[in-house]
Amino acid sequence: MRLAPGVTFAVPLYNKAPWIRATLDSIAAQRGDFAREIVVVDDGSTDGGAGLVAEWASGRDDVRLLRQENAGSAAASNACLAAARFSAVKFVDADDLLHPDATAVLLEALRREPTAVLAFADRMTFPDGTLPPMPPRAPLPPRRVDDALARVIRNSLFNPTQILVRTEVARAVGGCDERVLYSQEYGLSLRLAAAGPFVHVPETLAFQRVGIDGNLSADQGGQLARATRALGLFLADKPDLPVSLRRLAARRAAGRAWLWRRRHQGETFLSPWSLRRLAAWLPPRDTAAFVLASAEAIQPPQR
């Protein structure tokens, strides 16, 4: 597919009916002189959200609603990516909101850094049932992030609503890792960070709704385990990473596992997971297996 200059707004949808209209309104309100489309992939919703999207899109020619059986947000995000017709993809969680200038600002940041594969902004959380204040913009110069992979290994830098990616690069690296059904942005960010630098826009341009019953982001253990598992799978795919990065990955994973087990299972400083933190400095011969074991120490995968 030949890509045209512009932005595809990618919205994976699963049981977000109460919030999807506000999210779509936020996308429609984006300012800027760029071609655009909205691709919503309904990932087997059972709450009528897809019908609300169809109703909202009635009379518009820039919205496509695609449907698939429930396969997880990583697969739904990849379906958006595969369908994109424009050269940049702006991911948006189906219960988040965007500042009206978010997309234009991120596009400009990528234009100024032609080798950057991804631009990301800061985010603010707001309680469900309220509307976030849209603070007046205080533009600061974007910052190129050349050590993107080391930074992503240390910590997840963003949620999907914060990022704008180059479509061709995201496709070339394989998109989101569908072996981890959720926390899709972390696997994608690892893959993209191995492909090139990021650019950070130090402004609050994304707004994340919190306090939703059953929201996966509220499950801290699950989030940590999924991110750690994504890291382990990435290491398995990239066995030739420098020793410094493999050591960093092992230390971060073992540290997360130890802290989680100490806080939630009462393990002592002489426990096996405390000792594994020391082993991580070597690094382990099979770093990928070590990191994947750390993920299971936090929360075993659901069978």
Side-chain angles (χ1 to χ4, degrees):
M1 180 189 299
R2 186 174 181 179
L3 297 171
V7 177
T8 296
F9 292 91
V11 186
L13 175 66
Y14 178 72
N15 287 357
K16 297 290 181 72
W19 309 284
I20 185 61
R21 286 181 183 274
T23 298
L24 293 172
D25 287 342
S26 173
I27 294 171
Q30 291 298 286
R31 296 189 281 248
D33 183 19
F34 54 88
R36 62 193 76 189
E37 67 174 350
I38 303 171
V39 176
V40 179
V41 172
D42 176 43
D43 187 44
S45 293
T46 59
D47 66 349
L52 294 177
V53 174
E55 180 184 320
W56 184 90
S58 178
R60 300 182 65 110
D61 61 3
D62 59 349
V63 182
R64 282 182 288 156
L65 173 61
L66 310 178
R67 300 172 190 260
Q68 66 182 32
E69 293 186 5
N70 180 241
S73 57
S77 296
N78 282 346
C80 291
L81 181 62
R85 296 170 177 166
F86 289 115
S87 57
V89 170
K90 179 73 192 76
F91 289 102
V92 186
D93 274 351
D95 50 6
D96 285 355
L97 302 175
L98 291 171
H99 189 284
D101 295 322
T103 307
V105 171
L106 292 170
L107 268 176
E108 177 63 13
L110 278 186
R111 188 190 69 79
R112 290 176 176 272
E113 292 288 351
T115 63
V117 299
L118 174 153
F120 69 100
D122 296 337
R123 77 173 182 265
M124 175 188 294
T125 60
F126 67 99
D128 187 29
T130 69
L131 288 176
M134 294 285 173
R137 288 190 54 212
L140 295 171
R143 302 167 184 167
R144 181 184 167 98
V145 182
D146 288 305
D147 61 340
L149 186 51
R151 290 188 60 183
V152 172
I153 288 172
R154 289 190 187 97
N155 288 298
S156 179
L157 296 179
F158 37 69
N159 85 340
T161 308
Q162 294 172 254
I163 66 175
L164 178 80
V165 304
R166 298 191 191 275
T167 309
E168 289 182 337
V169 180
R171 288 176 177 171
V173 302
C176 303
D177 188 345
E178 295 185 26
R179 295 169 294 183
V180 182
L181 299 182
Y182 306 104
S183 301
Q184 71 274 19
E185 75 280 1
Y186 189 61
L188 178 61
S189 66
L190 286 164
R191 291 174 171 184
L192 287 171
F198 292 174
V199 58
H200 175 214
V201 175
E203 293 187 55
T204 300
L205 300 176
F207 301 86
Q208 180 180 14
R209 196 183 306 268
V210 295
I212 299 173
D213 289 342
N215 197 314
L216 286 171
S217 63
D219 176 11
Q220 185 181 16
Q223 288 280 81
L224 283 174
R226 287 189 293 273
T228 306
R229 177 168 169 75
L231 178 57
L233 293 169
F234 172 78
L235 292 168
D237 294 340
K238 299 282 187 181
D240 297 327
L241 283 179
V243 169
S244 60
L245 291 177
R246 291 191 291 116
R247 181 184 295 116
L248 174 61
R251 286 167 48 203
R252 293 296 294 163
R256 291 173 188 156
W258 153 241
L259 287 173
W260 182 262
R261 292 177 75 90
R262 188 183 73 174
R263 291 170 180 170
H264 298 275
Q265 298 186 21
E267 293 199 2
T268 70
F269 283 96
L270 298 178
S271 71
W273 279 101
S274 178
L275 299 177
R276 281 175 71 94
R277 288 186 305 156
L278 302 177
W281 285 84
L282 295 177
R285 180 174 298 176
D286 189 340
T287 311
F290 183 94
V291 172
L292 289 170
S294 300
E296 293 215 16
I298 300 169
Q299 187 178 97
Q302 295 181 348
R303 304 300 180 186

